[in-house]
Amino acid sequence: MAKSRWIHGTVFTHDGFSLMDLTVEDGIVTALSPSSSPLVSPSDNETIVDCHGMTLFPGFVDLHVHFREPGFSYKETIETGTRAAAHGGYTVCCTMPNLKPVSDSPAHLETQRALIRETALVHVLPYGAISVDEKGKVLTDFEALAPYVVGFSDDGVGVADAAVMREAMQRARAVGKPIVAHAEDLSLVSGGVIHDGAYAAAHHHKGNPSASEWTQVERDLRLVKETGARYHICHISTKESVALLRKAKADDLPVSGETAPHYLTLTDADLQEDGRFKMNPPVREATDREALIAALADGTLVAVATDHAPHAAEEKAKGLDHSANGIVGLETAFSVLYTTLVRTGKLPLERLIDAMALAPREALALDAVQEARPGRGIGHGIAVGEPADFSVWDLDATWRVQPETFLSKGRATPFAGWTLYGLCGATCVAGKPVYVNAELMDRRTHGYI
């Protein structure tokens, strides 16, 4: 039986932070004890890792990634995407269905599931499409897909027809799965490439108004009230969407929402004439950013998700007007938010960890997905009896964002060149290290990691 002990670290459990020793046997946390014992030599088949000065977090959960496989493996694969995830401390990723083929039938979904079984380093849970080929016309077979998917989403495009969305909600409720909505009214986007604000006006870009997002959120919330469906809003970027979500939650509707690190840290005043600043929805104004931070702090927004969306270099080299939408985020998310929100006093560290590691698991009931995954299932935090899914961080270490060192195939990030606090030393899934920063961890390891 493989055994490891991670000693003298500050461990985040459901009770908060404590200096503890963590014991893992056969992929399960078998003991959490006060950290007092001196370092001893490992016994046979045992590894001891000295985590003095380090912090152990539950594995992060990303409800919104694009791993691009099958169909677009030149952008990313399940293997490279999950390597990037492990580098960023993630142990669970939920991957969107806008693939080739689209995950809109059991046969198409099985193509993706086979790749997950063969190559994933972390838990990868897929979404099923709401509509066939994400065209917003004909609904997929919700009943056939439901056991194997997190929920149903046409991410990348909003469902324009209210009648189609109403029926989708009714069918999703019948199979006990959420609708996970990309809220976007393309008739209002009307070709806009960045936020319809001061930067767009000054640099002669066509603007994408905030109403393109919040009007569809408003419509969908009316449908939720009518149908009782579980509804989760992707990548919220506007203060109006926040206000609508807050009211819906106050009215006890079964709703939740996520935002992404770039919406919490950037505004259109930070834009540059570079494709690494182009994403959908776009970053918006300072008042939107502040509303999002407040909503994350008070729990209106349940989760931070990266919307990790890698593209080939040439697809991101065409400026703001013509580059593909999407940036990468898995390898920078925690450090960006820890540096900009936690260290500045805008957000407690406990709330950030809840939004990145604990609340997302519950929000979309991830344990209900019948998906191949490494180890013994998805852990619900660092606790005795739970799968040993965790990451180890040096919160005082600084590093410079250099995209050429990313493990993702994608390199486009608006955070290039930033100096950040928080360096991941190791990530474990079911007790097995799937990422190790050798320079940081090797000197701490006794046995074999």
Side-chain angles (χ1 to χ4, degrees):
M1 178 181 292
K3 179 177 179 180
S4 61
R5 284 193 289 150
W6 303 71
I7 66 173
H8 302 160
T10 300
V11 181
F12 183 84
T13 69
H14 289 285
D15 296 322
F17 290 100
S18 300
L19 191 63
M20 306 187 83
D21 296 344
L22 183 154
T23 302
V24 178
E25 297 181 65
D26 195 24
I28 301 296
V29 177
T30 57
L32 281 168
S33 55
S35 187
S36 58
S37 58
L39 181 62
V40 295
S41 298
S43 59
D44 291 343
N45 227 9
E46 180 185 50
T47 302
I48 295 178
V49 185
D50 184 1
C51 297
H52 177 75
M54 309 284 279
T55 303
L56 282 68
F57 295 129
F60 300 149
V61 176
D62 197 332
L63 295 178
H64 192 143
V65 303
H66 299 268
F67 282 163
R68 305 301 194 195
E69 195 178 29
F72 305 98
S73 57
Y74 71 94
K75 299 175 188 274
E76 190 79 288
T77 65
I78 299 292
E79 181 179 4
T80 61
T82 55
R83 286 191 186 281
H87 184 198
Y90 287 89
T91 59
V92 182
C93 291
C94 302
T95 187
M96 288 296 176
N98 53 339
L99 303 166
K100 189 175 181 180
V102 171
S103 299
D104 58 4
S105 70
H108 290 170
L109 183 65
E110 178 54 30
T111 302
Q112 183 185 16
R113 294 180 70 222
L115 290 165
I116 292 168
R117 289 192 295 269
E118 292 165 9
T119 63
L121 278 74
V122 306
H123 308 292
V124 178
L125 309 179
Y127 287 97
I130 292 173
S131 64
V132 174
D133 207 28
E134 291 197 338
K135 297 297 186 184
K137 302 295 184 183
V138 178
L139 294 180
T140 57
D141 187 341
F142 281 37
E143 188 172 60
L145 291 169
Y148 310 105
V149 299
V150 175
F152 295 92
S153 180
D154 274 2
D155 187 62
V157 61
V159 176
D161 191 319
V164 171
M165 182 57 99
R166 179 185 293 106
E167 185 181 353
M169 287 185 179
Q170 291 168 337
R171 292 176 60 179
R173 184 185 182 191
V175 296
K177 292 291 180 177
I179 291 291
V180 179
H182 175 113
E184 181 182 29
D185 186 334
L186 288 176
S187 70
L188 296 179
V189 174
S190 191
V193 295
I194 59 173
H195 175 62
D196 188 16
Y199 188 95
H203 294 82
H204 310 292
H205 294 293
K206 191 165 181 58
N208 175 344
S210 296
S212 68
E213 175 183 288
W214 68 258
T215 55
Q216 197 163 91
V217 170
E218 186 176 49
R219 178 205 72 179
D220 286 353
L221 291 175
R222 288 197 297 267
L223 296 176
V224 170
K225 190 171 184 178
E226 178 183 330
T227 64
R230 179 77 180 82
Y231 178 76
H232 179 82
I233 311 167
C234 294
H235 44 52
I236 291 175
S237 70
T238 72
K239 58 183 176 293
E240 293 90 352
S241 296
V242 166
L244 288 164
L245 176 61
R246 183 175 282 116
K247 183 179 186 305
K249 295 184 76 165
D251 291 342
D252 291 326
L253 294 182
V255 297
S256 58
E258 69 190 40
T259 193
H262 38 287
Y263 305 119
L264 291 162
T265 55
L266 301 172
T267 73
D268 63 341
D270 298 304
L271 294 176
Q272 299 176 25
E273 293 297 309
D274 190 314
R276 66 190 177 93
F277 288 86
K278 187 179 181 185
M279 69 288 291
N280 186 31
V283 293
R284 301 196 184 272
E285 299 176 3
T287 53
D288 297 294
R289 179 184 61 188
E290 297 312 308
L292 292 166
I293 293 171
L296 182 62
D298 69 19
T300 298
L301 290 171
V302 71
V304 174
T306 66
D307 195 4
H308 177 85
H311 293 285
E314 58 270 21
E315 294 172 322
K316 295 297 289 181
K318 301 174 183 179
L320 292 175
D321 283 337
H322 302 294
S323 290
N325 278 309
I327 59 173
V328 295
L330 287 165
E331 295 172 83
T332 57
F334 173 77
S335 299
V336 164
L337 297 175
Y338 178 68
T339 302
T340 60
L341 299 185
V342 175
R343 288 183 64 90
T344 60
K346 296 178 181 178
L347 192 74
L349 178 56
E350 292 86 348
R351 175 66 193 114
L352 179 60
I353 300 307
D354 183 51
M356 292 188 68
L358 302 178
R361 286 174 164 87
E362 305 300 330
L364 297 190
L366 299 185
D367 278 349
V369 184
Q370 296 178 21
E371 183 51 75
R373 57 184 74 132
R376 294 178 171 234
I378 296 171
H380 285 263
I382 299 176
V384 173
E386 290 285 343
D389 294 355
F390 62 90
S391 57
V392 183
W393 292 79
D394 185 340
L395 296 181
D396 293 322
T398 61
W399 60 285
R400 186 171 181 269
V401 179
Q402 298 175 292
E404 63 272 16
T405 68
F406 287 170
L407 301 185
S408 169
K409 287 188 176 184
R411 299 288 186 267
T413 171
F415 305 116
W418 285 32
T419 297
L420 302 174
Y421 282 89
L423 189 62
C424 186
T427 300
C428 294
V429 174
K432 176 184 176 182
V434 291
Y435 168 76
V436 176
N437 180 326
E439 183 178 353
L440 190 59
M441 299 303 295
D442 276 2
R443 60 186 170 83
R444 300 171 176 272
T445 305
H446 303 263
Y448 301 93
I449 193 169

